[in-house]
Amino acid sequence: MQIKPIPRRHYEHAPITEAIIALGFDLDDGIGIPDLQNIQPELKPEYPRSGEQLAVHFELNAQERFGKSDRPQTVGYQFLSEDQKRIVRVSRTEFAFSQLAPYDRWETLRAEAKRVWAIVQKVLRPRRITRVGVRFINRIDIPCPPSGVELDNYFHAAPKIPPELPQGLSTYFVRLEIPFDQPAGVLILALAAVPPAAVDVVSTLLDLDAVRQNLDTDPEAAWSTIEELRDVKNAAFEASITDAARDLFK
């Protein structure tokens, strides 16, 4: 199955709250969590803030009805720009570069992600790339008249309420996983209610994540795939919204 190409549009007020480029990889067995700290001196001029990424292992004993958790374990590090709008996350299995709002344009995002990746690659020397992803999270604020908002007027993937039930929604969450070809991957589309930005709006999160995984490729091919996934993401965004939503971004 293919996602139909859709002409690119430029929006003066794009609703992007976070844009992410991610690469999964395999490292040599001798490289551990402490080695990740060697990235910090290289990034510190542009990313002076840093912190640990922690994970907690929790076990639940259903028979005895109790659970236990281990102490948080460091699984990676994150490095932030001074204004905390750009974030680099690195673990033993993944690199992710995030740009928070305000979002400039794709070329700026890609260039900085690629520059930072070159530093990570030099320090960690990954053996292969196993996963590539492009994810854009959009917050769409819709003016809310007294009669309420019809989500179908703004989204093609809006949830449907059976006609026998009251038609008001206090919250909602829709998640679709859509396989696609050329390149083969999965589009994860999520549409969810979020706390409103103001008293007279309805706020919706449209989260689009285009992913290729189970790869065995090199960085050069991975960055070509990133460009392809960006096109998938763009097509999915345009397919998910209506002209009424587009009018909000002009």
Side-chain angles (χ1 to χ4, degrees):
M1 295 178 289
Q2 291 182 261
I3 293 180
K4 296 179 181 179
I6 295 177
R8 295 179 183 175
R9 299 173 184 244
H10 175 74
Y11 296 106
E12 193 67 29
H13 304 287
I16 299 164
T17 60
E18 184 172 8
I20 306 160
I21 292 175
L23 293 90
F25 48 77
D26 284 344
L27 298 178
D28 290 333
D29 293 338
I31 299 179
I33 297 298
D35 296 297
L36 303 180
Q37 298 181 68
N38 296 330
I39 297 169
Q40 184 177 20
E42 301 276 355
L43 291 179
K44 194 168 185 178
E46 289 82 17
Y47 298 86
R49 300 170 178 260
S50 63
E52 298 178 338
Q53 296 185 71
L54 302 175
V56 177
H57 177 70
F58 181 80
E59 291 184 1
L60 177 65
N61 188 320
Q63 188 174 17
E64 299 184 19
R65 297 184 180 179
F66 72 88
K68 64 177 182 178
S69 61
D70 298 333
R71 290 184 177 181
Q73 299 290 318
T74 301
V75 297
Y77 293 91
Q78 63 177 13
F79 310 97
L80 297 86
S81 60
E82 187 63 49
D83 61 4
Q84 301 186 57
K85 297 295 187 181
R86 292 175 294 161
I87 307 170
V88 179
R89 298 181 179 90
V90 185
S91 70
R92 285 199 74 257
T93 59
E94 187 177 50
F95 158 84
F97 177 83
S98 295
Q99 173 66 59
L100 305 183
Y103 175 79
D104 181 15
R105 59 184 184 274
W106 170 256
E107 290 75 14
T108 304
L109 174 74
R110 180 191 58 200
E112 181 62 4
K114 200 169 185 179
R115 184 189 73 83
V116 174
W117 164 252
I119 294 172
V120 173
Q121 184 180 8
K122 180 179 71 172
V123 174
L124 299 182
R125 302 184 301 279
R127 288 187 286 126
R128 61 177 179 172
I129 305 298
T130 59
R131 182 184 183 277
V132 177
V134 172
R135 181 180 181 186
F136 277 62
I137 302 171
N138 305 272
R139 180 193 179 99
I140 300 174
D141 297 321
I142 304 169
C144 184
S147 58
V149 170
E150 290 288 341
L151 292 176
D152 284 343
N153 292 338
Y154 297 90
F155 304 105
H156 292 302
K160 302 289 185 182
I161 304 176
E164 297 81 6
L165 299 179
Q167 296 300 296
L169 272 176
S170 60
T171 188
Y172 51 90
F173 179 78
V174 176
R175 177 184 168 94
L176 306 174
E177 294 193 15
I178 307 167
F180 59 84
D181 298 324
Q182 298 183 2
V186 176
L187 171 71
I188 303 169
L189 184 158
L191 191 73
V194 292
V199 294
D200 57 348
V201 302
V202 169
S203 298
T204 296
L205 212 63
L206 176 59
D207 187 341
L208 299 166
D209 193 2
V211 180
R212 290 196 69 197
Q213 49 196 358
N214 301 318
L215 301 176
D216 184 357
T217 190
D218 59 80
E220 183 176 350
W223 283 97
S224 295
T225 300
I226 284 170
E227 291 293 330
E228 295 172 321
L229 293 180
R230 183 242 182 158
D231 291 337
V232 170
K233 182 274 303 178
N234 281 347
F237 179 77
E238 296 298 338
S240 299
I241 61 174
T242 68
D243 286 338
R246 293 183 182 96
D247 288 341
L248 300 174
F249 316 144
K250 293 180 179 178

